[in-house]
């Protein structure tokens, strides 16, 4: 009987959890899992309509850039009754993750659930029901028009990006995964007492886990201007802290924690069939593991509220959105307003020293590439430790 290589096993486990950390919870949900069972395969969802992604070599870093859509749903059939009920299942959290081809940076785009977008034709794979295209409806209606494949198609046509990988997570999944990492530190500018979300936290730092973590991610009445955009800001603060937590608290060297996190993901996340493959997950994790926190950018899909034609909804800021996704499509880096516009080297460049003997190599080093700051772009990096803006009025 051939024995398994313990190094390979450990690498797969660590790599998968690294990827989980990038898009964990319903705010980013999880892109990859490692499991001792066939749970991942059994839960997989076909979003390709017959097309398949190219196989990825085992234990090699993903060769190019890639896009993943993670979707958080608010009314899964298996979720606790404590979260309330709706007549239909909505894709209330939509997170698009773009990893650059050179694996030096990643952009995580939060798409507001209330964003008014065109919807394409979709077909429900289970019932065979066909849905006609719609001109302007909230993006969170896509799930009810054909499940995860329809959400992927809607976001792909909205952004112009090809999205070969996707995943689905429910409220219960958020609770279990936040517990698995031992909680996530957040801070508030003021105390929150939000009865509708069941969130009660003091001003200043707190560690949130389980139902409290979920309540923080869901709260609207307790943060900012009570809009979906304010809630996205809280979710991005949570995601950035989750990344810092996983990198800084020994999670990646704690085998019991790794197993708990991986199993929680395996049980609670449904991946696309293109992603439900250990080799693919590991290759993505290897591509992601060396991205610096300050090169991992969390941004909001640009939009505005207050349009009388769409009360309570978010209307896209089309010019800025087009600029963002044109750059992502071309794999061109960008940054937030007010930050440096060039990729500065991490170490001081050596000072030239004159010598009497001319150097054979007279080539001039190429200047650092310019990274454009996009005016109007809202978000933060994973390194940013900002506090969530609690509503005080």
């Amino acid at each position: 009987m051939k024995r398994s290589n313990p190094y390979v096993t450990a690498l797969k486990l660590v790599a998968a959890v690294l990827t989980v950390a990038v898009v964990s919870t319903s705010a980013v949900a999880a892109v990859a899992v490692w499991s001792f069972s066939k749970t991942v395969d059994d839960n997989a969802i076909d979003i390709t309509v017959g097309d398949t992604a190219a196989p990825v070599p085992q234990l090699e870093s993903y060769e190019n850039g890639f896009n993943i859509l993670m979707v958080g749903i608010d009314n899964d059939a298996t979720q606790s009754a404590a979260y309330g009920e709706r007549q239909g299942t909505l894709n209330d959290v939509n997170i698009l993750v773009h990893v650059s081809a050179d694996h030096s940076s990643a952009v995580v785009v939060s798409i507001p659930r209330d964003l008014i977008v065109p919807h394409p034709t979709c077909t429900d794979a289970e019932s065979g029901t066909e849905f006609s295209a719609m001109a302007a409806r909230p993006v969170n209606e896509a799930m009810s028009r054909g499940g995860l494949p329809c959400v992927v198609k809607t976001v792909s046509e909205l952004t112009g990006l090809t999205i070969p990988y996707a995943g689905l997570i429910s409220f219960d999944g958020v609770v279990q995964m936040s517990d698995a990492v031992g909680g996530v530190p957040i801070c508030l500018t003021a105390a929150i007492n939000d009865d509708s979300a069941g969130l009660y936290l003091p001003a200043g730092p707190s560690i949130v886990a389980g139902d409290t973590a979920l309540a923080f991610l869901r709260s609207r009445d307790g943060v900012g201007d009570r809009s979906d955009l304010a809630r996205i800001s809280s979710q991005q603060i949570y995601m950035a802290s989750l990344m810092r937590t996983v990198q800084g608290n020994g999670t990646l060297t704690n085998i019991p924690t790794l197993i708990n996190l991986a199993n929680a993901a395996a049980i609670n996340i449904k991946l696309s069939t293109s992603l439900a493959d250990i080799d693919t997950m590991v290759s993505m994790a290897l591509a992601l593991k060396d991205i610096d926190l300050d090169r991992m950018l969390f941004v909001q899909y640009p939009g505005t509220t207050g349009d009388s034609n769409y009360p309570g909804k978010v209307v896209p800021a089309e010019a800025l959105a087009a600029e963002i996704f044109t750059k992502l499509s071309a794999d061109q880096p960008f940054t937030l307003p007010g930050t440096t516009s060039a990729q500065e080297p991490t170490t001081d460049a050596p000072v030239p020293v004159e010598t009497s003997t001319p150097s054979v190599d007279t080539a001039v080093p190429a200047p650092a590439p310019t990274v454009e700051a996009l005016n109007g772009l809202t978000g933060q990096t994973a390194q940013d430790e900002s506090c969530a803006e609690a509503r005080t009025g």
Side-chain angles (χ1 to χ4, degrees), residues 57-147:
Q58 184 176 13
L59 295 179
E60 292 184 12
S61 179
Y62 202 94
E63 184 176 357
N64 300 306
F66 51 90
N67 300 314
I68 305 169
L69 180 67
M70 298 309 301
V71 177
I73 54 176
D74 74 338
N75 195 25
D76 182 67
T78 63
Q79 76 181 31
S80 170
Y83 304 134
E85 295 183 0
R86 294 187 184 182
Q87 292 183 348
T89 298
L90 304 177
N91 48 298
D92 267 359
V93 176
N94 307 275
I95 305 293
L96 179 62
V97 182
H98 171 80
V99 177
S100 65
D102 63 3
H103 307 158
S104 67
S105 62
V107 179
V108 181
V109 184
S110 296
I111 301 173
R113 70 174 191 177
D114 296 329
L115 187 72
I116 299 297
V117 304
H119 287 252
T121 58
C122 285
T123 301
D124 189 304
E126 294 184 4
S127 67
T129 304
E130 297 183 356
F131 296 88
S132 301
M134 302 188 299
R137 296 294 301 168
V139 72
N140 70 345
E141 293 183 7
M143 189 71 191
S144 63
R145 305 179 70 248

Side-chain angles (χ1 to χ4, degrees), residues 335-383:
T335 189
L336 299 166
T339 57
T340 181
S341 61
Q343 295 180 359
E344 299 178 357
T346 55
T347 57
D348 293 334
V351 178
V353 178
E354 293 186 3
T355 63
S356 57
T357 303
S359 172
V360 175
D361 184 3
T362 58
V364 178
T370 298
V371 179
E372 183 180 2
L374 301 185
N375 291 329
L377 187 63
T378 302
Q380 67 175 89
T381 68
Q383 195 173 48

